[in-house]
Amino acid sequence: MEATAVTEQQHPQGKAHNPGGAEAPVFRARKNGQEQKVSAELSDWMRTGWADTEMRGVDPIEQAEHTARRRAALSARFPGERLVIPAGGLKTRSNDTEYPFRAACDYVYLSGDQSDDGCLVFEPHPGGHDVTAYLRPRSNRENGEFWLDGHGELWSGRRNSLAEGAARLGIAAHDVRELPAVLEKAADGAATRVVRGHDAALEKVVDGLRGDAGKAAERDEELAVALHDLRLVKDEWEVEQLQKAVDSTVRGFEDVVAALPKAKATSERYIEGTFFLRARVEGNDVGYGTIAASGPNATTLHWVRNDGPVRDGELLLLDAGVETNELYTADVTRTLPISGTFTDVQRRVYDLVYKAQEESIAAVAPGRPFRDYHVAAQRALAEGLIAMGLLEGPVDRVVELGLQRRYTLHGTGHMLGLDVHDCARSRTEEHLYGELKPGMVLTVEPGLYFQPDDLTVPEELRGIGVRIEDDVVVTEDGNRVMSAGLPRRSDEVEAWLAEHLPKS
Ligand code: GLY
Ligand code: MN
Ligand code: MN
């Protein structure tokens, strides 16, 4: 790498910048406090000779109206209280390397921002709250941070100035390094709640300012629950984001089918990598670890090792989702015959799961209890397992005792949004035991899994795992399958494979 921004002509090195020969400054890295000593000449030189790039034109985020409405809803829920909602920071992967940063969902939901170390503070006043985004400002050029700190702008890229951050988000922006002092100063005022689990240092500051720790933890939990309740019904912009995620995911599945010959020559990893390429090109990332499970690996629910062989005659269970640049994820599963055609026994299992999914999707409608679509799928699977001679009826007994669960193992779906398992902390009366509402987005994902060592099933079934998973939005009069771009019925799956599998 070569520095090209400063030329000899613009700023001749070592001349007249440190005429008095002042002592070399010491810079301490933000993260590990390590000292960096450089000569006074270099330090001086690095401070100067840069064009002024302080102000760039920035556009407001496109979801600004929605984030403002979400903040107003949260404000109304906690009048007179201070709310602290952090984005979280970088997490160490190994030694001095970090995982790619992914901002906390509640912070993103309320701000539209994804800055590491960011934090939203709702400061109460008699009519509501003033909301401020506390952000890291641009790197300091005077003390050398911009080039001496591993997270300075010359290493990590330009950050928004605070003025730019405020213009983008539509709220005031202050330096996040001032936040502890701001909170301490306000300590004897309003009660403070914080969303926990993202910023331990900030939690320590807030905890230090509060009394009864048990009570404070309870109040923090109420804030987390309220946010998940708010996130249950998606607004128009969120549904568009989720559709975008699903559409990219559909293309990712097509990529995988086209790459199957290469996967057969290597391993399931080729499938994972192929899907990941689509996710990174069109979105931020995958929304969760891709499950590329071939043959008997499909009976392991969260098979993410993806190091098994891919063979003709077996099924590939691919559970994968693209996460958009705004962090909304799809969650889709298809179970595909690798050769292009199901065997009779594979088709029998597949068609039963398909029937369960059809009956389950039919139970997704506004006003229906959330549990209905799970109950419908479980009942259809139980009936099919009885018909296959694997369980003894009547079906009511099987379902009541949950006997079908030996072969289906998991629930039939979950909410979908910024988290793949979205709104998990919302109140049960609003969610698991609540009613579906227009704008809710959920997965419908029945499955059957016959373990390779399960002696209760005929040998021909052992090692077969089938899941069909679609993303469904509740509409005013029923539902819409957002992932309908991928076929589900067995004959349609075969026709689609014939279209996308490379001809050998
Ligand atoms: N991909 C995880 C799930 O389907 O819930
Ligand atoms: Mn899934
Ligand atoms: Mn799922």
Side-chain angles (χ1 to χ4, degrees):
M1 278 181 282
E2 225 180 351
T4 53
V6 178
T7 65
E8 284 281 310
Q9 288 83 351
Q10 284 170 311
H11 207 142
Q13 181 176 359
K15 281 186 200 153
H17 303 299
N18 187 32
E23 199 163 307
V26 171
F27 176 78
R28 273 182 204 286
R30 178 173 65 95
K31 191 167 173 210
N32 55 15
Q34 241 168 29
E35 276 187 12
Q36 292 240 31
K37 268 192 173 168
V38 296
S39 70
E41 283 79 1
L42 177 58
S43 171
D44 274 359
W45 192 35
M46 287 302 287
R47 267 200 288 269
T48 57
W50 307 104
D52 181 7
T53 58
E54 200 49 34
M55 283 311 293
R56 284 188 308 193
V58 288
D59 292 326
I61 53 171
E62 65 177 31
Q63 70 273 41
E65 251 178 57
H66 295 288
T67 52
R69 193 180 26 72
R70 298 170 198 161
R71 288 191 296 270
L74 187 68
S75 165
R77 172 76 179 73
F78 294 101
E81 301 192 46
R82 181 176 303 105
L83 309 176
V84 179
I85 294 134
L90 297 169
K91 293 189 175 66
T92 301
R93 181 177 186 275
S94 163
N95 187 24
D96 59 353
T97 60
E98 284 122 2
Y99 290 104
F101 177 70
R102 205 270 191 191
C105 294
D106 294 322
Y107 176 81
V108 174
Y109 180 71
L110 294 169
S111 68
D113 185 49
Q114 296 182 33
S115 305
D116 52 306
D117 292 338
C119 188
L120 278 188
V121 177
F122 285 58
E123 187 62 34
H125 59 68
H129 289 85
D130 287 325
V131 184
T132 300
Y134 285 86
L135 303 169
R136 278 204 290 138
R138 299 213 48 208
S139 291
N140 190 324
R141 284 207 176 142
E142 281 308 302
N143 72 3
E145 180 199 349
F146 77 115
W147 72 288
L148 288 172
D149 188 309
H151 298 105
E153 287 183 312
L154 289 201
W155 294 90
S156 306
R158 188 190 188 282
R159 294 196 287 267
N160 288 316
S161 66
L162 293 176
E164 288 167 340
R168 278 185 71 241
L169 305 180
I171 45 181
H174 289 172
D175 187 335
V176 70
R177 291 169 301 190
E178 294 163 8
L179 183 54
V182 169
L183 292 172
E184 272 158 27
K185 208 166 140 204
D188 51 356
T192 303
R193 300 184 195 242
V194 60
V195 174
R196 305 189 81 85
H198 305 295
D199 191 330
L202 190 62
E203 284 169 24
K204 209 165 157 198
V205 172
V206 173
D207 287 342
L209 302 171
R210 303 191 292 193
D212 186 338
K215 193 146 184 55
E218 235 173 74
R219 292 161 52 74
D220 290 345
E221 179 61 18
E222 284 166 5
L223 174 59
V225 169
L227 278 160
H228 281 213
D229 279 355
L230 275 182
R231 285 167 47 192
L232 275 170
V233 173
K234 273 62 187 172
D235 55 45
E236 220 173 276
W237 182 85
E238 290 184 291
V239 175
E240 278 169 23
Q241 281 294 315
L242 284 162
Q243 188 64 60
K244 206 168 165 180
V246 167
D247 292 346
S248 288
T249 298
V250 169
R251 289 189 280 276
F253 274 66
E254 289 167 359
D255 297 342
V256 164
V257 173
L260 273 180
K262 290 220 168 97
K264 283 192 263 184
T266 53
S267 76
E268 296 162 340
R269 290 277 165 96
Y270 206 95
I271 292 166
E272 178 188 333
T274 299
F275 189 83
F276 182 64
L277 179 62
R278 180 64 70 171
R280 282 295 282 169
V281 168
E282 293 194 2
N284 176 58
D285 203 335
V286 288
Y288 54 91
T290 294
I291 297 168
S294 183
N297 293 337
T299 64
T300 300
L301 295 182
H302 282 171
W303 177 259
V304 290
R305 275 183 241 157
N306 299 341
D307 58 357
V310 178
R311 297 193 192 103
D312 274 331
E314 296 188 329
L315 295 173
L316 167 68
L317 185 156
L318 175 61
D319 182 343
V322 172
E323 177 184 83
T324 63
N325 287 321
E326 303 301 336
L327 308 187
Y328 286 80
T329 190
D331 180 11
V332 174
T333 306
R334 286 295 179 268
T335 306
L336 309 168
I338 292 161
S339 67
T341 319
F342 290 100
T343 64
D344 288 347
V345 65
Q346 287 168 352
R347 191 186 308 274
R348 221 181 316 139
V349 178
Y350 186 94
D351 287 349
L352 171 51
V353 175
Y354 173 74
K355 181 170 183 286
Q357 199 200 24
E358 283 286 274
E359 289 176 21
S360 188
I361 291 172
V364 175
R368 294 281 299 261
F370 176 83
R371 279 193 60 75
D372 273 12
Y373 85 99
H374 172 69
V375 169
Q378 295 296 306
R379 193 170 182 86
L381 292 173
E383 280 167 355
L385 290 165
I386 292 167
M388 286 169 79
L390 299 180
L391 294 174
E392 199 182 316
V395 67
D396 285 340
R397 171 185 163 272
V398 169
V399 172
E400 195 185 322
L401 298 176
L403 302 180
Q404 78 284 359
R405 290 184 58 188
R406 180 177 177 109
Y407 306 120
T408 184
L409 299 170
H410 58 75
T412 309
H414 49 84
M415 295 294 179
L416 188 67
L418 284 162
D419 277 310
V420 63
H421 299 152
D422 210 39
C423 308
R425 290 162 88 173
S426 52
R427 285 174 296 161
T428 49
E429 64 267 33
E430 290 295 314
H431 182 177
L432 299 181
Y433 294 105
E435 285 182 356
L436 295 176
K437 297 191 177 88
M440 287 181 168
V441 178
L442 44 86
T443 68
V444 183
E445 51 175 308
L448 282 175
Y449 313 91
F450 300 112
Q451 302 302 319
D453 58 349
D454 190 340
L455 303 181
T456 69
V457 300
E459 205 168 339
E460 61 174 4
L461 287 175
R462 292 179 204 157
I464 292 182
V466 173
R467 177 162 65 255
I468 313 174
E469 177 173 26
D470 283 85
D471 302 341
V472 179
V473 56
V474 182
T475 58
E476 293 295 335
D477 55 1
N479 70 63
R480 180 168 64 80
V481 178
M482 303 174 83
S483 40
L486 287 175
R488 292 187 293 121
R489 220 173 59 197
S490 53
D491 58 336
E492 290 171 355
V493 167
E494 287 174 333
W496 176 78
L497 286 171
E499 190 186 327
H500 290 280
L501 273 172
K503 313 284 175 251
S504 49

